[in-house]
Amino acid sequence: MTRRSHPPVVVVGAGIAGMSVALSLAPHPVILLCGEAPGAGGATPLAAGGIAAALGPGDDPRHHAEDTMRAGHCNDADAVATLVGSAADAIAWLEATGVAFDRAGDALDAGLEGGHGRPRILHAGGDATGAAIACALARAVAATPSIETWTGMDIHGLRIDATGRVVGVLAGDRDGHPHIIDGQAVVLACGGIGGLFEDRTGPGDLQGLAISAGSSVGARLRDLPFIQFHPTALAVPSTRTQGRRTLITEALRGAGAVLRDAHGRRLMAGHPLADLAPRDVVARAVVAADRPWLDTSPCSKAWPELFPATTASLRRHGLEPGMPIPVCTAQHFHMGGLATDLAGAASVPGLHAVGECACNGVHGANRLASNSLLEGVVFGRFTARAIAAAPARRVGTPATRALPANADPQALARIRATLARSMGPQRDRDMLARARLALRGNSRQDIVARALVDAALALPASVGAHHWRTAAAGVDQQLAAGA
Ligand code: SIN
């Protein structure tokens, strides 16, 4: 380990949020802890659609804010204003860090996605935006001497001093050796909860670490029941590799594709925004449909070149452009998480969270498409600034708050099956009560899953992605009402 004049900031997770924090802290020393190499793991490299920013002619951050709030229902207005108002700076920073966004002539090219009133989704490599950003940031991390990266690390606990301040982590390496890493502050940027679900679009190892770690030191959690399901995951059995389904990007609907059922009927014809309705609404329509599929015939003939990654994935599964694309819903994003302020500070001093594991209320109950990469950069940079401005703390004599053990494979399978039945796009109280009984273990994952179920049971009414199934109000009625 190198000698440092300041205690380092310990950053857990090396996706867009963690790397934005680490890079923005330079030259302040950072220890970046990750499972896989920076940019290689987590959800960032899988992000297909892009990053939203109101930069085009006639667009304005206020329009972006209105769309974000309309989709989210109960967003924190200050968080939304900060997100959309900082988007231009975030894009400029990403470009300066080496991200080459796709251009149409001299201007940045912008696509459309669900819930957006105008085209404002910037992309790179067509539908490989997350991978392009992850790659550029990882290169910058490798070239930044103040960032020391430790790969192959798992977090086993947080370190807390006598004043109740979080000052470090207990980590374990791939050989099972423990490492105590203390510093000035800890930033959790370790992704969401998709790995607790059978069907998901993200990696299986994201199982609510921040919720578990935050709870171990009494940090406040927020908006846990708000779990987003993507309406167009590829519904071909062979695409399900350890639960991860291929995402058919919403940008394809932005380019004209429409959802149909087995009888050829349009699923979203009754909604004012049709196939570009907010994601929670489209997801419920897909759940209710008989063998839903995506029809790309309204798209321009050039769509396969504009979406090369999606086209390659489809071809891997024997689907040529123009063929019906069978789709289903899959867990995609967690709006809830560790409660933070707009500078990433959790309710316990010294602890911060950024990205999908954090919740400052910016997404409300249903995230607007392509606001998640933006969130990682915007709030990552604010978090770094706030930590850098705080006085360096001397590490006292911390104690370790160990996390519960991980679930074994059998227990994890039980938890995934339980959440699949109870915490999907439509929920009912009986199912949740039964889930509560099934989630009886003491593993980290059981405890996180129970917290999700308890939070859902506490919500009296449907809002956004949390939707109580009712016999009377069918999806058609909801669509007609533009719900
Ligand atoms: C997509 O490409 O459909 C997903 C984009 C997002 O989750 O924001």
mmCIF file of all heavy atoms in Angstrom, residues 18 48 51 68 74 83 95 104 132 176 205 211 219 242 288 292 334 383 440 457 461 466 482:
data_model
loop_
_atom_site.group_PDB
_atom_site.id
_atom_site.type_symbol
_atom_site.label_atom_id
_atom_site.label_comp_id
_atom_site.label_asym_id
_atom_site.label_seq_id
_atom_site.Cartn_x
_atom_site.Cartn_y
_atom_site.Cartn_z
ATOM 1 N N GLY A 18 -19.500 4.726 -8.469
ATOM 2 C CA GLY A 18 -18.266 4.596 -7.690
ATOM 3 C C GLY A 18 -17.081 5.235 -8.403
ATOM 4 O O GLY A 18 -16.267 5.927 -7.782
ATOM 5 N N ALA A 48 -28.190 -0.151 -21.804
ATOM 6 C CA ALA A 48 -28.267 -0.105 -23.262
ATOM 7 C C ALA A 48 -28.767 1.247 -23.773
ATOM 8 O O ALA A 48 -28.200 1.835 -24.698
ATOM 9 C CB ALA A 48 -29.183 -1.225 -23.755
ATOM 10 N N ILE A 51 -28.201 7.970 -21.668
ATOM 11 C CA ILE A 51 -28.167 8.882 -20.529
ATOM 12 C C ILE A 51 -28.961 10.128 -20.925
ATOM 13 O O ILE A 51 -28.714 10.730 -21.977
ATOM 14 C CB ILE A 51 -26.700 9.162 -20.118
ATOM 15 C CG1 ILE A 51 -26.605 10.121 -18.932
ATOM 16 C CG2 ILE A 51 -25.846 9.676 -21.270
ATOM 17 C CD1 ILE A 51 -25.219 10.100 -18.245
ATOM 18 N N THR A 68 -39.716 13.540 -15.527
ATOM 19 C CA THR A 68 -39.206 12.700 -14.422
ATOM 20 C C THR A 68 -40.248 12.596 -13.311
ATOM 21 O O THR A 68 -40.499 11.506 -12.771
ATOM 22 C CB THR A 68 -37.891 13.312 -13.873
ATOM 23 O OG1 THR A 68 -36.930 13.343 -14.929
ATOM 24 C CG2 THR A 68 -37.341 12.519 -12.702
ATOM 25 N N CYS A 74 -43.929 10.585 -7.016
ATOM 26 C CA CYS A 74 -43.695 11.133 -5.672
ATOM 27 C C CYS A 74 -42.212 11.462 -5.482
ATOM 28 O O CYS A 74 -41.649 11.226 -4.420
ATOM 29 C CB CYS A 74 -44.171 10.152 -4.602
ATOM 30 S SG CYS A 74 -43.466 8.504 -4.787
ATOM 31 N N LEU A 83 -30.700 16.982 -10.395
ATOM 32 C CA LEU A 83 -30.319 16.004 -11.424
ATOM 33 C C LEU A 83 -30.373 16.626 -12.821
ATOM 34 O O LEU A 83 -29.392 16.590 -13.566
ATOM 35 C CB LEU A 83 -31.267 14.794 -11.361
ATOM 36 C CG LEU A 83 -30.979 13.700 -12.384
ATOM 37 C CD1 LEU A 83 -29.818 12.820 -11.910
ATOM 38 C CD2 LEU A 83 -32.212 12.824 -12.632
ATOM 39 N N GLU A 95 -17.545 13.524 -21.372
ATOM 40 C CA GLU A 95 -16.813 13.683 -22.643
ATOM 41 C C GLU A 95 -15.342 13.991 -22.358
ATOM 42 O O GLU A 95 -14.449 13.420 -22.990
ATOM 43 C CB GLU A 95 -17.446 14.799 -23.473
ATOM 44 C CG GLU A 95 -18.787 14.369 -24.082
ATOM 45 C CD GLU A 95 -19.271 15.340 -25.139
ATOM 46 O OE1 GLU A 95 -19.559 16.509 -24.768
ATOM 47 O OE2 GLU A 95 -19.340 14.951 -26.320
ATOM 48 N N ALA A 104 -24.834 13.293 -34.556
ATOM 49 C CA ALA A 104 -25.501 13.460 -35.846
ATOM 50 C C ALA A 104 -24.941 14.766 -36.390
ATOM 51 O O ALA A 104 -25.330 15.832 -35.933
ATOM 52 C CB ALA A 104 -27.006 13.554 -35.655
ATOM 53 N N ALA A 132 -19.644 1.720 -23.050
ATOM 54 C CA ALA A 132 -18.723 2.777 -23.500
ATOM 55 C C ALA A 132 -18.322 3.663 -22.317
ATOM 56 O O ALA A 132 -17.149 4.031 -22.158
ATOM 57 C CB ALA A 132 -19.384 3.617 -24.597
ATOM 58 N N GLY A 176 -10.197 -15.581 0.776
ATOM 59 C CA GLY A 176 -10.824 -15.657 2.091
ATOM 60 C C GLY A 176 -10.059 -14.889 3.168
ATOM 61 O O GLY A 176 -10.382 -14.992 4.350
ATOM 62 N N ASP A 205 -25.115 -10.999 -8.690
ATOM 63 C CA ASP A 205 -24.404 -10.808 -7.417
ATOM 64 C C ASP A 205 -24.792 -9.506 -6.713
ATOM 65 O O ASP A 205 -24.262 -9.202 -5.650
ATOM 66 C CB ASP A 205 -22.882 -10.876 -7.631
ATOM 67 C CG ASP A 205 -22.386 -9.830 -8.621
ATOM 68 O OD1 ASP A 205 -23.214 -9.217 -9.316
ATOM 69 O OD2 ASP A 205 -21.159 -9.630 -8.697
ATOM 70 N N ILE A 211 -28.127 -2.053 1.606
ATOM 71 C CA ILE A 211 -29.245 -2.107 2.562
ATOM 72 C C ILE A 211 -28.797 -2.877 3.800
ATOM 73 O O ILE A 211 -29.040 -2.480 4.945
ATOM 74 C CB ILE A 211 -30.474 -2.763 1.905
ATOM 75 C CG1 ILE A 211 -30.998 -1.862 0.775
ATOM 76 C CG2 ILE A 211 -31.574 -3.060 2.931
ATOM 77 C CD1 ILE A 211 -32.137 -2.457 -0.028
ATOM 78 N N ALA A 219 -28.532 2.897 9.771
ATOM 79 C CA ALA A 219 -28.808 3.959 8.793
ATOM 80 C C ALA A 219 -30.245 3.831 8.282
ATOM 81 O O ALA A 219 -30.787 2.724 8.184
ATOM 82 C CB ALA A 219 -27.827 3.879 7.629
ATOM 83 N N GLN A 242 -28.387 -17.890 -15.558
ATOM 84 C CA GLN A 242 -28.414 -17.610 -14.113
ATOM 85 C C GLN A 242 -29.358 -16.456 -13.805
ATOM 86 O O GLN A 242 -29.041 -15.562 -13.044
ATOM 87 C CB GLN A 242 -27.015 -17.295 -13.616
ATOM 88 C CG GLN A 242 -26.103 -18.488 -13.783
ATOM 89 C CD GLN A 242 -24.679 -18.183 -13.371
ATOM 90 O OE1 GLN A 242 -24.268 -17.037 -13.350
ATOM 91 N NE2 GLN A 242 -23.946 -19.213 -13.056
ATOM 92 N N ALA A 288 -50.074 -8.644 -18.123
ATOM 93 C CA ALA A 288 -51.469 -9.042 -18.340
ATOM 94 C C ALA A 288 -51.704 -9.634 -19.738
ATOM 95 O O ALA A 288 -52.766 -10.194 -19.994
ATOM 96 C CB ALA A 288 -52.373 -7.823 -18.147
ATOM 97 N N PRO A 292 -46.922 -11.686 -25.094
ATOM 98 C CA PRO A 292 -46.570 -10.393 -25.687
ATOM 99 C C PRO A 292 -45.304 -10.466 -26.552
ATOM 100 O O PRO A 292 -44.413 -11.279 -26.270
ATOM 101 C CB PRO A 292 -46.338 -9.513 -24.460
ATOM 102 C CG PRO A 292 -46.015 -10.455 -23.355
ATOM 103 C CD PRO A 292 -46.746 -11.727 -23.633
ATOM 104 N N HIS A 334 -33.836 -0.667 -8.701
ATOM 105 C CA HIS A 334 -34.447 -0.387 -7.396
ATOM 106 C C HIS A 334 -34.440 1.118 -7.171
ATOM 107 O O HIS A 334 -33.369 1.733 -7.115
ATOM 108 C CB HIS A 334 -33.654 -1.082 -6.286
ATOM 109 C CG HIS A 334 -34.372 -1.127 -4.979
ATOM 110 N ND1 HIS A 334 -33.757 -1.342 -3.774
ATOM 111 C CD2 HIS A 334 -35.697 -0.994 -4.686
ATOM 112 C CE1 HIS A 334 -34.653 -1.337 -2.799
ATOM 113 N NE2 HIS A 334 -35.841 -1.116 -3.334
ATOM 114 N N THR A 383 -21.138 14.084 -4.214
ATOM 115 C CA THR A 383 -20.662 13.346 -3.033
ATOM 116 C C THR A 383 -19.165 13.566 -2.849
ATOM 117 O O THR A 383 -18.691 13.854 -1.737
ATOM 118 C CB THR A 383 -20.972 11.841 -3.194
ATOM 119 O OG1 THR A 383 -22.384 11.693 -3.303
ATOM 120 C CG2 THR A 383 -20.460 11.023 -2.018
ATOM 121 N N ARG A 440 -37.592 -16.714 6.306
ATOM 122 C CA ARG A 440 -37.423 -16.918 7.744
ATOM 123 C C ARG A 440 -35.953 -16.998 8.148
ATOM 124 O O ARG A 440 -35.648 -17.070 9.327
ATOM 125 C CB ARG A 440 -38.151 -18.190 8.154
ATOM 126 C CG ARG A 440 -37.610 -19.402 7.425
ATOM 127 C CD ARG A 440 -38.453 -20.649 7.581
ATOM 128 N NE ARG A 440 -37.916 -21.717 6.769
ATOM 129 C CZ ARG A 440 -38.145 -21.878 5.488
ATOM 130 N NH1 ARG A 440 -38.936 -21.050 4.843
ATOM 131 N NH2 ARG A 440 -37.594 -22.877 4.814
ATOM 132 N N LEU A 457 -45.823 -4.194 2.454
ATOM 133 C CA LEU A 457 -47.047 -4.412 3.237
ATOM 134 C C LEU A 457 -47.521 -3.129 3.923
ATOM 135 O O LEU A 457 -48.716 -2.941 4.165
ATOM 136 C CB LEU A 457 -46.796 -5.495 4.299
ATOM 137 C CG LEU A 457 -46.918 -6.938 3.791
ATOM 138 C CD1 LEU A 457 -46.326 -7.920 4.794
ATOM 139 C CD2 LEU A 457 -48.370 -7.299 3.480
ATOM 140 N N ALA A 461 -51.660 2.233 -0.518
ATOM 141 C CA ALA A 461 -52.224 2.398 -1.874
ATOM 142 C C ALA A 461 -51.166 2.131 -2.932
ATOM 143 O O ALA A 461 -49.964 2.198 -2.656
ATOM 144 C CB ALA A 461 -52.747 3.836 -2.022
ATOM 145 N N HIS A 466 -45.090 0.161 -7.277
ATOM 146 C CA HIS A 466 -45.770 -0.657 -6.263
ATOM 147 C C HIS A 466 -47.265 -0.653 -6.589
ATOM 148 O O HIS A 466 -47.946 0.363 -6.435
ATOM 149 C CB HIS A 466 -45.539 -0.103 -4.863
ATOM 150 C CG HIS A 466 -46.424 -0.763 -3.841
ATOM 151 N ND1 HIS A 466 -46.127 -1.994 -3.295
ATOM 152 C CD2 HIS A 466 -47.612 -0.394 -3.314
ATOM 153 C CE1 HIS A 466 -47.102 -2.340 -2.464
ATOM 154 N NE2 HIS A 466 -48.008 -1.391 -2.461
ATOM 155 N N GLY A 482 -54.951 6.399 -18.477
ATOM 156 C CA GLY A 482 -53.585 6.933 -18.586
ATOM 157 C C GLY A 482 -52.815 6.734 -17.308
ATOM 158 O O GLY A 482 -51.903 7.492 -17.013
#
